[in-house]
Amino acid sequence: MDLNHLKGLLAKPQPLFLGEETAFRSAVLIPLVKKQGEWHILFEVRALTMRKQPGDISFPGGKIDETDESPLAAALRETHEELGIDQQSIELIGNLSPFVISPAFVVYPFIGIIEQSELDTFNNDEVEELFTVPLDWLLTHEPYVHYVPVEPKPPIDFPYDKIANGENYEWRSSRMEEWFYEYGNYTIWGLTARLLKHFIEKLK
């Protein structure tokens, strides 16, 4: 083994985590909008005709395509497709740490400012409606949490004969946090609430 060659390989940029290169990768924009001198966060209600998660509340964003140069490029492209906003008009503030939901799914969140005057229309095929929540409200109202148990369940052809304790192997169970924000008639939960909670904690 050539140690210098190995050192050279390890000095190159590495994936964020093992499996990142083959994971389902998506990117979202957490949009800040100024209304009557007060900062708000913009949310979408997904169109009721959408095949996946119709009616759920989300941030603009979606899958990172092969043609996207970066996660940021994907977030801006998706925001343009969903809200009809010129990508050049979005003022990027920064980004949050990627959210690794599992080794097969990662989300890259970005923060940007959108002018309220650009929100007159949106893509009805993807968006049912838009609404905003004041940042001050989010900073003073705590979300609540429910826990969903996650139990490993190997398939019937799992090679128990290859592992210690065989079928008596003690699999590690876990529980998944599901956070909820209640604002008027809107319930923000799931991935959107997790990203929102992380962002609000950063601000605090």
Side-chain angles (χ1 to χ4, degrees), residues 143-199:
Y144 60 90
V145 66
H146 285 275
Y147 296 98
V148 179
V150 179
E151 300 284 347
K153 188 177 181 181
I156 57 175
D157 61 347
F158 186 82
Y160 282 107
D161 59 312
K162 304 294 183 182
I163 65 175
N165 296 323
E167 293 187 12
N168 295 319
Y169 181 84
E170 294 186 10
W171 295 94
R172 181 177 296 178
S173 60
S174 62
R175 61 179 187 173
M176 182 171 58
E177 294 180 350
E178 287 292 355
W179 292 91
F180 291 77
Y181 287 85
E182 301 281 358
Y183 181 74
N185 295 324
Y186 300 104
T187 299
I188 303 166
W189 75 288
L191 170 62
T192 303
R194 288 289 296 271
L195 296 177
L196 176 62
K197 182 175 183 294
H198 180 57
F199 177 52

Side-chain angles (χ1 to χ4, degrees), residues 2 23 97 107 151 158 191 201:
D2 185 337
S97 299
V107 180
E151 300 284 347
F158 186 82
L191 170 62
E201 287 175 348

Side-chain angles (χ1 to χ4, degrees), residues 30-42:
I30 301 177
L32 298 174
V33 180
K34 204 164 194 179
K35 298 176 63 176
Q36 299 177 342
E38 183 179 4
W39 286 108
H40 289 233
I41 294 182
L42 175 73

Side-chain angles (χ1 to χ4, degrees), residues 90-135:
I90 300 172
E91 181 183 347
L92 182 68
I93 300 298
N95 62 279
L96 299 176
S97 299
F99 181 21
V100 182
I101 300 170
S102 76
F105 186 17
V106 58
V107 180
Y108 303 83
F110 298 89
I111 317 296
I113 295 175
I114 291 176
E115 294 293 333
Q116 185 183 2
S117 59
E118 297 201 47
L119 298 174
D120 295 333
T121 60
F122 49 83
N123 183 351
N124 296 101
D125 290 334
E126 297 191 43
V127 181
E128 189 73 19
E129 64 172 299
L130 302 175
F131 70 96
T132 65
V133 179
L135 206 50

Side-chain angles (χ1 to χ4, degrees), residues 10-39:
L10 296 177
K12 294 180 179 179
Q14 303 289 328
L16 177 69
F17 60 93
L18 293 179
E20 181 184 18
E21 295 164 321
T22 56
F24 179 90
R25 303 191 308 145
S26 65
V28 301
L29 181 74
I30 301 177
L32 298 174
V33 180
K34 204 164 194 179
K35 298 176 63 176
Q36 299 177 342
E38 183 179 4
W39 286 108

